[in-house]
């Protein structure tokens, strides 16, 4: 339930930015963004329940390819738009951000707060083994059970670990840093990504990115 909730909340934020919506825009006293998210949820339930496990795998593959292609393109275009690392650092300074404390992988030192250091230590020392879905849970078990055989399931899980944890986050990180540099401080940092989609992507790639969500 929690996973579905945060996925729907993320889509709610994306739809508000992408379509220029706000809570004052309603239909029958229901925000339009909420109606869009519920409609997409019902569509996903319909095609997954109709197609079965094969449909889940096929749509996962298609959406992964769409999302990776569009996210890498957005990262490259954002990087070029801000003229690379030097341009991003310059904009960081102009907006009052600290490049060093933002990009350090190990937040230990005078430039970081005790809270940031504690959060980092909790992530690497506790969260990775204590989280409920640390072994994949039913989400990945469903994918493994739909595999051709044990060998395919094992290699598929290994590829997921590499692609999902080692490759996929880097385009997001680049876009997030570029968003901080281009847009400046905002109340909700999670909005940087859809805001950069609006700012940077041409119509074709923009449509692919929205479809991937």
């Amino acid at each position: 339930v929690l996973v579905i909730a945060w996925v729907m909340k993320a889509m709610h934020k994306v739809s508000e930015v992408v379509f220029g919506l706000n809570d004052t825009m309603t239909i029958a006293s229901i925000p339009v963004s909420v109606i869009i998210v519920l409609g997409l949820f019902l569509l996903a339930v319909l095609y997954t329940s109709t197609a079965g496990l094969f449909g889940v795998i096929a749509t996962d593959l298609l959406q992964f390819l769409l999302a990776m292609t569009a996210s890498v393109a957005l990262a490259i275009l954002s990087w070029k738009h801000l003229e690379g690392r030097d341009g991003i650092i310059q904009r960081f300074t102009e907006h009052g951000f600290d490049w060093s404390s933002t990009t350090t992988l190990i937040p230990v030192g005078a430039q970081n707060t005790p809270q940031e250091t504690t959060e980092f230590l909790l992530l690497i020392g506790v969260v990775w083994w204590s989280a409920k879905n640390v072994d994949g849970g039913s989400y990945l078990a469903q994918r493994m059970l739909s595999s051709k055989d044990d060998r395919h399931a094992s290699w598929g899980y290994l590829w997921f670990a590499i692609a999902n944890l080692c490759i996929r986050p880097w385009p997001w990180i680049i876009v997030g840093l570029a968003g901080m540099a281009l847009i400046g401080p905002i109340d909700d940092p999670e909005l940087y990504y859809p805001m950069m989609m609006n700012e940077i992507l041409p119509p074709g790639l923009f449509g692919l990115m929205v479809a991937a969500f």
Side-chain angles (χ1 to χ4, degrees):
V1 174
L2 287 176
V3 174
I4 294 175
W6 79 54
V7 169
M8 294 179 73
K9 180 62 176 177
M11 193 63 220
H12 176 260
K13 291 185 178 184
V14 170
S15 64
E16 283 192 330
V17 175
V18 167
F19 299 113
L21 305 174
N22 56 61
D23 291 338
T24 63
M25 302 170 67
T26 62
I27 296 177
S29 300
I30 303 174
V32 174
S33 56
V34 172
I35 294 174
I36 291 174
V37 172
L38 290 176
L40 292 172
F41 174 75
L42 293 174
L43 177 63
V45 170
L46 177 63
Y47 75 70
T48 52
S49 59
T50 303
L53 283 177
F54 177 80
V56 172
I57 299 302
T59 53
D60 270 2
L61 176 62
L62 177 61
Q63 288 179 317
F64 177 79
L65 292 175
L66 284 176
M68 283 303 299
T69 300
S71 64
V72 169
L74 178 57
I76 293 173
L77 293 174
S78 300
W79 187 264
K80 288 184 176 180
H81 182 79
L82 289 161
E83 300 179 349
R85 182 174 181 271
D86 292 339
I88 292 176
I89 294 176
Q90 180 182 346
R91 294 287 192 93
F92 252 62
T93 304
E94 292 174 359
H95 288 302
F97 292 121
D98 186 329
W99 174 261
S100 178
S101 63
T102 301
T103 57
T104 182
L105 293 178
I106 303 177
V108 179
Q111 73 273 22
N112 297 104
T113 65
Q115 179 180 346
E116 291 171 336
T117 303
T118 301
E119 289 173 351
F120 171 76
L121 293 175
L122 286 173
L123 283 172
I124 66 169
V126 179
V127 173
W128 69 270
W129 61 263
S130 64
K132 177 183 177 182
N133 292 325
V134 68
D135 60 349
S138 59
Y139 171 79
L140 292 179
Q142 183 186 47
R143 274 70 179 169
M144 295 174 71
L145 290 171
S146 67
S147 301
K148 181 180 179 181
D149 50 40
D150 290 349
R151 179 174 174 273
H152 281 229
S154 298
W155 282 104
Y157 198 103
L158 177 61
W159 165 242
F160 168 81
I162 296 172
N164 188 59
L165 303 177
C166 303
I167 298 175
R168 190 174 66 157
W170 286 104
W172 300 346
I173 293 170
I174 292 172
V175 173
L177 293 173
M180 294 172 68
L182 181 64
I183 299 167
I186 57 177
D187 293 333
D188 186 355
E190 292 180 352
L191 296 180
Y192 277 125
Y193 202 89
M195 291 172 74
M196 288 298 288
M197 289 168 53
N198 274 346
E199 290 283 343
I200 301 296
L201 289 179
L205 281 174
F206 181 82
L208 281 178
M209 180 67 83
V210 174
F213 279 106

